Amino acid sequence: MPLSTYRLQITAGFDLDAAAEIVDYVRSLGAGWVYLSPLLKAEPGSDHGYDVVDHSLVDPARGGAAGLVRLATAAHQAGCGVLVDIVPNHMGVASPAQNAWWWDLLQNGQQSRYAEAFDVDWAFGNGKIRIPVLGDDGSDGRTELDRLEIVGGELHYFDNRFPLAAESNNDGASPADVHSRQHYELVNWRRADAELNYRRFFAVNSLAGIRVEVPWVFEESHREIVRWVRDGLVQGLRVDHPDGLADPAGYLEALRRATDGCYVLVEKILEGREALPTSWATAGTTGYDALADVDRVLVDPAGQEPLDALEASLQGVATDWADLVYRNKRDVTDGILRSEVLRIARLVPSDTGNLAPTAEALADLLAWFPVYRSYLPVGSENLREAARRSATRRPELQSEIDRLLPLLGDPGHPAAVRFQQTSGMVMAKGVEDRAYYRFSRLTSLNEVGADPDEFAVPVAEFHKRQRTRQAGFPHSMTTLSTHDTKRGEDVRARIAVLAEIPAEWAEALHQLRAAHPLDDAPFENLLWQAIVGAWPASRERLAAYALKAAREAGTSTTWTQPNTGFEAALDDLVTAAVESGPTRDLLTALVDRLQQPGWSNSLSQKLLQLTMPGVPDVYQGSELWETSLVDPDNRRPVDYALRRELLTRLESGWLPPVDETGAAKLLVTSSALHLRGDRPDLFTRYLPVPAFGPAAGHVVAFDRGGAITVATRLPIGLHEAGGWRDTTIAVADRTVVDVFTRQRFDGPGLRVADVLARYPVALLVAADDRDRPSPRIGRHT
């Protein structure tokens, strides 16, 4: 069981041997395990590894099986365990020749051994798999099928290669005629929305779902993974997207048996106060729920009303988050995921054969579904809640919904299984990849696994949630940044400051919009917040983010129909932001206002995350300021030479200032990790530590069983109110030492002004523990 982890993105450019070379740094930092992105062979050039094409091989591009042995050996010699991300839901099929399972399926159709492995609706495709790769017919009079070629016994369409069925030997027939004899049908890419007949990961046509619930599929797709565990190379597994599986609980139980109960986490997004099913064979989630709690306890609730008003003025109407979510999810059910909705409808008995009423009712239920999915019979109340909301909004659907509910609530009915697999897709595409880009009130709240409608969390509520975490899933992961977060943790920390100065932000935004109008007010608010939050950033990085964000929002330009005029204006905006001139001057002044309180938030949220209940993960490089934006920006190479140099200075006793270097964050990170690793006995419970006095509301403090966390919240308000003054926290009647500064303080009442004189955070332990094993970082004479 890890006490902490350090996440590494393993790529061709940073392979397993490169990871092995920094294990000593990871250990010196204080992290207990190395946590690796997917390792199985992926699509050529993949920078993430979630598009697995061969379950039997560690990706040669990532270092291969020998590289994994070398990495594991280095980790184990350093006293580290190894946690690896695995992908049971889907495989990469962008390059069919790379995926032997998919190639065989295309070549042999329903007679293929792998027909049972992939989730294909053969009847809907008239016995063929529809592959949406054809472009639009050109103006030269040729259809796209006329562009097919037979090359080396394969069917080629530009760079796309497909197998030929054994019975379709080229007998002089045209490539188009040969195509008609195959077990697949190449179709126009636009037909994927409504006419695809294989299950995908979300709306990604190049990721085909597999049926891991079939015993032999599980065994063959996990044989190599299980070998890693049984051979002692790997001590834990992180399961990607369990919500896409037909039976997540059954899958986790099969994984438990196969690995003799190794440490397993699930990438599960919990909505609101939704709880992880207690019957699952897992230690917990990958930590998005913790991220949401930490972010919100540092947000000023007084900022909600003025920022709501600003959002309403930008949107042109008061914005209801639930309604925005519904509308965006309906866009998805009626658009890019229409194929999945119709697939469920085809599983519902019908006397007329008319799918339209059933599909409409299903789409509305999916749009109103309040969580990612149910796990019947667990979560059946969410189905009833969606039905109630849908019937209220669309009473004409009531009779069809009433007909559907018994089927969708039956765990054994195919329509219910498919509905559960689809609801998470609709949530992810409608909310994370659309609504998050259309709601600009305070964009630090628009994060994976979080509810932007929850503006702030009172300190008492934060404590309540951590006690629940400690009682239920004490070994669940906590995190602040991942390879999937929309904004790095320190970008969010700076944006959160805007809740303390909403009037100042509204005025700055007015000036920025006047200078660079895009005629898309909510998106402009979102974009300027990102620029301010990530500042300073290169033009290249900001331009890439701006374009992706605009196309994801889909309000002024889209991926499939780019608005060249808007995108040119967007590019000009980014240029003005980074080049010398009045816009850059305005941004610089604004960042100067936000920088110090943003750093205070950054150190507070980092300490909270590292010391709260759970297993803290540090995403690669985030031990210094993490100012990344959405992927691929958050997967950039990490400068470990710089981090080693700063860590060495800290080990010599240096107390860094809170400045641009981020060394203060490195101090907090390493000290907290070392304390957790050296003294786990100090982290066995969770008790709020009360604060008293005029600035008590600016303190978040808790006792983990001997380790006491003290963090600052709402730093601008604290400063404007005159600082800490006589504010105190109550601890035991003995002397404590701050792990960061090694200063001693005598209890039971500690003056916060003394404890937080140097940094906005402190981590206190009893002075009589000093001679026991303790953190190396922060030890001073």
Side-chain angles (χ1 to χ4, degrees):
M1 192 78 67
L3 297 175
S4 60
T5 61
Y6 189 93
R7 168 82 178 202
L8 293 170
Q9 295 297 111
I10 305 300
T11 65
F14 186 86
D15 62 12
L16 288 162
D17 285 308
E21 291 175 2
I22 67 157
V23 163
D24 63 324
Y25 165 78
V26 171
R27 198 69 192 98
S28 295
L29 183 67
W33 285 21
V34 289
Y35 166 24
L36 309 177
S37 60
L39 298 181
L40 293 174
K41 185 179 179 183
E43 285 276 359
S46 172
D47 68 349
H48 50 75
Y50 291 96
D51 42 5
V52 174
V53 297
D54 188 339
H55 291 110
S56 69
L57 293 176
V58 178
D59 198 337
R62 288 170 165 77
L68 177 57
V69 171
R70 289 189 290 270
L71 177 280
T73 299
H76 298 158
Q77 288 177 347
C80 291
V82 179
L83 174 69
V84 178
D85 204 336
I86 63 172
V87 191
N89 177 69
H90 52 267
M91 294 186 76
V93 297
S95 306
Q98 296 290 331
N99 187 329
W101 289 23
W102 187 251
W103 187 267
D104 191 274
L105 182 73
L106 297 183
Q107 187 168 47
N108 297 299
Q110 296 179 72
Q111 303 307 310
S112 168
R113 177 174 184 260
Y114 299 101
E116 189 180 25
F118 291 97
D119 204 343
V120 180
D121 185 349
W122 294 99
F124 181 62
N126 298 314
K128 297 175 182 283
I129 307 170
R130 290 179 177 152
I131 311 296
V133 297
L134 298 182
D136 298 328
D137 291 344
S139 58
D140 57 2
R142 299 175 65 195
T143 69
E144 289 304 289
L145 290 178
D146 291 333
R147 304 181 195 281
L148 298 177
E149 298 180 301
I150 307 295
V151 180
E154 299 174 348
L155 186 64
H156 286 202
Y157 174 71
F158 294 101
D159 292 334
N160 298 279
R161 299 166 49 202
F162 303 96
L164 294 178
E167 63 271 20
S168 65
N169 292 327
N170 186 6
D171 53 6
S174 70
D177 287 338
V178 170
H179 168 257
S180 68
R181 304 173 188 175
Q182 303 311 308
H183 297 289
Y184 53 86
E185 178 186 8
L186 306 184
V187 300
N188 182 270
W189 65 273
R190 300 178 191 276
R191 293 177 62 183
D193 285 1
E195 299 179 49
L196 213 62
N197 66 331
Y198 62 90
R199 181 171 62 86
R200 302 168 289 176
F201 170 73
F202 296 165
V204 183
N205 299 332
S206 59
L207 296 176
I210 60 173
R211 300 182 64 230
V212 75
E213 66 273 15
V214 177
W216 75 261
V217 177
F218 175 90
E219 196 278 330
E220 292 194 18
S221 62
H222 286 68
R223 184 180 295 145
E224 176 68 0
I225 294 166
V226 170
R227 182 187 70 79
W228 301 342
V229 176
R230 291 185 173 172
D231 287 357
L233 298 172
V234 169
Q235 286 66 55
L237 301 171
R238 179 263 200 195
V239 177
D240 181 66
H241 189 48
D243 283 349
L245 306 180
D247 179 14
Y251 167 79
L252 290 169
E253 178 58 26
L255 190 62
R256 184 194 66 79
R257 291 195 302 267
T259 61
D260 297 323
C262 80
Y263 179 73
V264 169
L265 294 169
V266 290
E267 186 223 13
K268 170 60 189 166
I269 292 173
L270 301 170
E271 289 290 311
R273 294 299 89 208
E274 180 189 10
L276 191 67
T278 56
S279 60
W280 283 12
T282 179
T285 74
T286 52
Y288 289 118
D289 43 336
L291 178 155
D293 290 346
V294 172
D295 278 1
R296 280 157 179 73
V297 78
L298 302 179
V299 171
D300 188 352
Q304 180 168 358
E305 184 174 344
L307 289 178
D308 277 343
L310 175 61
E311 179 74 0
S313 70
L314 298 174
Q315 298 277 2
V317 63
T319 302
D320 179 79
W321 172 249
D323 185 64
L324 179 65
V325 166
Y326 168 76
R327 287 186 280 112
N328 281 282
K329 289 173 74 175
R330 274 310 308 249
D331 285 349
V332 167
T333 58
D334 297 342
I336 59 175
L337 292 180
R338 184 67 175 170
S339 291
E340 280 69 20
V341 175
L342 293 173
R343 177 85 181 266
I344 305 170
R346 292 195 294 272
L347 296 171
V348 175
S350 172
D351 294 332
T352 66
N354 181 10
L355 296 182
T358 301
E360 180 64 17
L362 287 167
D364 221 57
L365 287 171
L366 288 165
W368 280 119
F369 207 76
V371 296
Y372 270 70
R373 65 164 284 171
S374 56
Y375 309 93
L376 295 175
V378 176
S380 57
E381 70 279 1
N382 293 313
L383 181 61
R384 294 191 295 271
E385 174 65 12
R388 184 190 65 78
R389 293 183 181 184
S390 181
T392 300
R393 180 86 167 242
R394 300 280 305 278
E396 73 276 14
L397 298 179
Q398 179 76 65
S399 61
E400 186 64 14
I401 288 174
D402 288 345
R403 186 175 79 91
L404 288 172
L405 283 183
L407 304 180
L408 299 180
D410 177 1
H413 197 284
V417 173
R418 179 69 55 178
F419 185 94
Q420 292 177 95
Q421 291 177 282
T422 304
S423 59
M425 300 186 197
V426 175
M427 180 73 82
K429 298 306 297 181
V431 180
E432 292 176 26
D433 293 343
R434 186 163 299 193
Y436 277 2
Y437 291 93
R438 295 183 177 185
F439 188 64
S440 66
R441 178 179 65 180
L442 188 67
T443 57
S444 59
L445 306 179
N446 299 11
E447 194 48 83
V448 179
D451 180 3
D453 207 28
E454 183 176 52
F455 190 83
V457 169
V459 174
E461 175 63 19
F462 177 83
H463 289 321
K464 178 182 176 182
R465 294 181 184 182
Q466 303 328 305
R467 287 195 295 266
T468 299
R469 185 186 310 278
Q470 175 70 20
F473 287 95
H475 304 296
S476 186
M477 183 175 278
T478 68
T479 192
L480 288 179
S481 297
T482 76
H483 60 289
D484 275 337
T485 40
K486 304 297 184 184
R487 295 162 189 83
E489 58 201 61
D490 300 313
V491 176
R492 300 198 310 275
R494 185 182 291 174
I495 291 173
V497 179
L498 300 179
E500 293 200 72
I501 55 167
E504 293 179 46
W505 172 246
E507 175 57 28
L509 179 64
H510 173 74
Q511 295 179 51
L512 291 166
R513 291 190 59 226
H516 306 283
L518 294 177
D519 197 28
D520 189 339
F523 177 74
E524 293 168 64
N525 190 19
L526 178 141
L527 178 58
W528 286 116
Q529 287 184 42
I531 292 173
V532 167
W535 193 270
S538 69
R539 186 194 182 285
E540 179 184 25
R541 288 180 56 213
L542 293 179
Y545 173 79
L547 183 60
K548 179 172 182 174
R551 290 180 175 178
E552 292 284 10
T555 48
S556 295
T557 188
T558 67
W559 293 106
T560 56
Q561 293 183 309
N563 180 333
T564 56
F566 177 87
E567 292 184 0
L570 189 63
D571 196 62
D572 290 342
L573 180 154
V574 172
T575 299
V578 299
E579 293 185 350
S580 297
T583 299
R584 183 185 173 95
D585 292 343
L586 176 58
L587 288 172
T588 300
L590 188 57
V591 170
D592 287 345
R593 172 74 161 128
L594 299 173
Q595 188 165 256
Q596 286 292 340
W599 285 339
S600 176
N601 281 348
S602 291
L603 296 181
S604 290
Q605 69 182 11
K606 198 64 181 176
L607 182 60
L608 293 176
Q609 181 248 334
L610 292 172
T611 59
M612 68 197 291
V615 175
D617 175 58
V618 177
Y619 182 66
Q620 59 177 32
S622 66
E623 59 271 31
L624 298 185
W625 302 135
E626 167 59 308
T627 57
S628 294
L629 295 166
V630 74
D631 68 278
D633 192 55
N634 56 16
R635 301 171 189 176
R636 289 172 293 140
V638 176
D639 184 349
Y640 284 108
L642 171 63
R643 285 160 176 78
R644 286 182 188 273
E645 176 188 348
L646 292 174
L647 190 59
T648 298
R649 293 184 65 190
L650 293 177
E651 290 174 332
S652 71
W654 174 50
L655 283 182
V658 181
D659 63 8
E660 292 86 352
T661 66
K665 188 182 181 188
L666 183 64
L667 171 67
V668 169
T669 302
S670 190
S671 298
L673 289 176
H674 275 291
L675 186 63
R676 290 203 73 149
D678 294 342
R679 294 298 307 279
D681 57 303
L682 301 180
F683 295 86
T684 57
R685 66 183 185 187
Y686 186 93
L687 292 174
V689 171
F692 305 94
H698 293 275
V699 179
V700 186
F702 50 80
D703 182 345
R704 290 301 321 282
I708 299 173
T709 288
V710 185
T712 301
R713 63 189 296 266
L714 315 185
I716 287 182
L718 174 66
H719 174 74
E720 292 177 348
W724 293 112
R725 290 165 287 165
D726 294 328
T727 303
T728 61
I729 57 172
V731 300
D733 189 8
R734 60 182 183 177
T735 301
V736 295
V737 178
D738 179 15
V739 169
F740 306 140
T741 65
R742 305 309 297 173
Q743 287 186 286
R744 299 164 68 96
F745 307 98
D746 295 324
L750 305 184
R751 293 186 71 249
V752 177
D754 296 335
V755 174
L756 302 185
R758 185 173 189 104
Y759 298 119
V761 293
L763 182 56
L764 308 175
V765 295
D768 55 13
D769 286 335
R770 184 168 184 165
D771 294 330
R772 302 183 188 184
S774 59
R776 298 183 311 162
I777 306 304
R779 186 186 297 278
H780 301 280
T781 56

